Amino acid sequence: MKKLILSGIVALSALGVSMPAWAQELSFWSWRQEDKAQYEKFIKAFEEKNPGITVKFETFEATNYNTILSTALAGGSGPDVLFARAYGGLENVANAGYLLPLDKSNVPALESFAPAAIAAETMRSTKVTYAVPFASQTMLVIYNKDIFDANGLKEPETWDELVQASEKLKGAGIMPFGNGTATAWQNEVMVGGIASTLMGRGFYDDLMAGKADFTDKRYVEALAKLKEITKYFPDGFIGLDYASSQQLFASGMAGMFVGGSYELANFKKQNPDIKMGIFAMPGMKADDEKLVAQYFDGGYAVNAKTQHKEAALKFVNFLASQEFGQMFADELNNISAVPGVSFKDPLLAEVAELNKNSIPYIMLVHFRFGEPSGSVLLQGEIQKLLSDKATPEEVGKNLTTGLAAWYEPFKK
């Protein structure tokens, strides 16, 4: 039936008859090259239910995606539907008027999304939403269950227990952590994954209320502990890049890895036999609230100049549906932002549980809206801290001073 409909469309087109909105090919751009096979599967499910609409999925290298997309949109072209960044990355594109506003009138499912997810795809100044959030990511500690079991270890409940576990692994000839920090953004991951519990929810709340900055004792002491635990990182970790770090953990040479929930699928792909567990970094005392750092990873947006608005919105409504969210979680082993999705993978279900005790991944969520970017500042400062070129106090001061260039609460 679908072939008959499509052949009819081609015939009408040849006669110069204008096509209805549903009889269109949509272009769909993404930076997720590694997910292409899964997205083509998702698209097939959409096309089967929407005869006449076809979707061409195109992927680009992640680091160049923003430039390629902005250039195309500025030229009045670009895709019909696109992956959009979140937070500050979204505002750069939305501010230029390239994206179609989305709300409950054209994407009704948005009304049920979590406020934090919607905020990630909303302009702060106008409160207009421009994309359907697609995933959340969580900074935590991943560990190799077989290594822990073989060494009689359990998930640590206190900082001292973490140190003791690290010592035991080191004594057994196993790297306690596989992490390196030569890849700049990994320095920010270290702060989210290691320091969130240590700085505490109270610090985060005070920071957002304008009652604290990064010179606060709670933040500075958390950075000191971060530096302390890196004695259990691989020798020469400052020169160890991201891919090499991943291999150390995936191969079973390291017992733990500080990273995002996005690592779980990747490690399983590298080593199908690996058995993993996860935990939130413990605090100094067993009853300290254990926190993970969470952020929303991007969204699906519509080109404001698309010639296929009706079809594009139909596709975006599919991407906002629970049907799609469930496929996303099942196929990509990732935390979908769509409400009501269940997680068949036990580790994903555990991530979702840990997210109930989270604070935002601070620099990405709150401090990428101006220059200098909080993430760029933090990544450089942590590298200096770990290279013994700055103290925790100096890092806190430099972060606050740098952000004061555009962040009003720090200008006092």
Side-chain angles (χ1 to χ4, degrees):
M1 177 62 72
K2 183 177 179 180
K3 288 182 179 178
L4 288 172
I5 293 171
L6 289 175
S7 58
I9 290 168
V10 172
L12 288 171
S13 180
L15 294 172
V17 179
S18 62
M19 295 297 98
W22 51 265
Q24 307 291 342
E25 179 180 85
L26 299 174
S27 54
F28 182 29
W29 284 14
S30 169
W31 66 78
R32 295 290 299 175
Q33 293 177 318
E34 59 271 50
D35 297 341
K36 188 167 186 177
Q38 289 88 349
Y39 269 92
E40 287 176 346
K41 185 175 181 179
F42 304 153
I43 288 167
K44 184 177 179 181
F46 168 77
E47 290 176 343
E48 287 176 351
K49 293 186 177 181
N50 295 275
I53 302 177
T54 57
V55 181
K56 183 180 180 182
F57 186 59
E58 298 181 70
T59 60
F60 301 87
E61 202 278 321
T63 55
N64 297 323
Y65 177 79
N66 285 8
T67 301
I68 294 169
L69 177 66
S70 296
T71 301
L73 293 173
S77 59
D80 298 294
V81 181
L82 54 112
F83 272 50
R85 301 288 187 183
Y87 310 108
L90 171 81
E91 295 209 351
N92 292 336
V93 181
N95 258 329
Y98 297 143
L99 305 181
L100 184 73
L102 303 179
D103 56 32
K104 64 182 180 181
S105 68
N106 54 16
V107 186
L110 282 175
E111 197 168 23
S112 62
F113 277 65
I118 294 298
E121 302 299 336
T122 299
M123 284 283 293
R124 295 166 303 154
S125 58
T126 63
K127 307 302 181 186
V128 174
T129 301
Y130 287 97
V132 172
F134 65 70
S136 76
Q137 306 295 352
T138 304
M139 301 298 129
L140 36 68
V141 181
I142 305 166
Y143 69 94
N144 185 310
K145 280 191 169 184
D146 285 339
I147 291 176
F148 265 49
D149 290 345
N151 288 274
L153 299 175
K154 60 181 183 178
E155 295 178 10
E157 293 295 325
T158 66
W159 184 264
D160 286 345
E161 286 183 11
L162 176 68
V163 171
Q164 290 162 13
S166 298
E167 286 286 352
K168 191 163 187 179
L169 291 173
K170 193 173 182 179
I174 299 167
M175 296 177 195
F177 290 90
N179 294 90
T181 58
T183 304
W185 61 270
Q186 284 291 288
N187 289 282
E188 187 172 359
V189 171
M190 295 305 103
V191 177
I194 294 172
S196 294
T197 293
L198 298 165
M199 68 180 78
R201 189 183 301 279
F203 166 73
Y204 171 76
D205 290 342
D206 286 348
L207 181 71
M208 292 298 98
K211 298 177 182 178
D213 58 32
F214 293 107
T215 65
D216 189 278
K217 180 181 178 181
R218 294 165 290 185
Y219 189 78
V220 169
E221 289 182 349
L223 294 186
K225 285 296 182 183
L226 184 159
K227 180 173 171 58
E228 177 186 308
I229 205 66
T230 58
K231 70 181 287 188
Y232 300 110
F233 281 22
D235 292 341
F237 72 89
I238 290 174
L240 186 68
D241 67 17
Y242 176 51
S244 301
S245 300
Q246 289 178 307
Q247 289 170 10
L248 288 178
F249 180 78
S251 66
M253 295 177 68
M256 292 177 281
F257 190 89
V258 181
S261 50
Y262 48 80
E263 301 285 6
L264 297 172
N266 183 53
F267 286 142
K268 201 68 177 176
K269 188 180 297 183
Q270 290 187 50
N271 180 3
D273 296 324
I274 194 170
K275 296 177 182 176
M276 295 176 286
I278 58 174
F279 61 84
M281 187 63 72
M284 301 309 295
K285 303 188 299 295
D287 59 357
D288 286 345
E289 183 184 18
K290 296 178 181 64
L291 297 171
V292 293
Q294 183 185 23
Y295 69 92
F296 287 88
D297 202 10
Y300 307 115
V302 176
N303 185 341
K305 293 185 178 180
T306 179
Q307 298 300 304
H308 315 305
K309 180 178 175 182
E310 183 180 335
L313 283 171
K314 185 171 285 191
F315 183 50
V316 167
N317 272 276
F318 168 74
L319 298 174
S321 71
Q322 190 170 345
E323 175 192 1
F324 170 77
Q326 193 63 58
M327 288 193 294
F328 180 97
D330 294 344
E331 296 288 335
L332 293 173
N333 202 34
N334 217 320
I335 301 290
S336 169
V338 177
V341 170
S342 60
F343 301 103
K344 297 175 184 177
D345 184 288
L347 278 178
L348 278 191
E350 194 172 343
V351 172
E353 194 64 28
L354 288 178
N355 284 342
K356 294 177 181 178
N357 295 92
S358 65
I359 58 173
Y361 190 44
I362 293 176
M363 291 301 185
L364 169 58
V365 175
H366 296 294
F367 294 99
R368 283 197 191 178
F369 296 96
E371 293 294 337
S373 156
S375 289
V376 172
L377 283 173
L378 180 65
Q379 291 165 19
E381 289 297 321
I382 295 300
Q383 191 74 336
K384 289 194 290 185
L385 172 69
L386 302 182
S387 304
D388 295 319
K389 295 178 181 178
T391 65
E393 290 80 8
E394 288 170 336
V395 170
K397 180 180 179 182
N398 292 342
L399 292 174
T400 303
T401 301
L403 290 168
W406 61 270
Y407 186 62
E408 289 295 331
F410 289 175
K411 290 184 177 181
K412 298 175 184 178

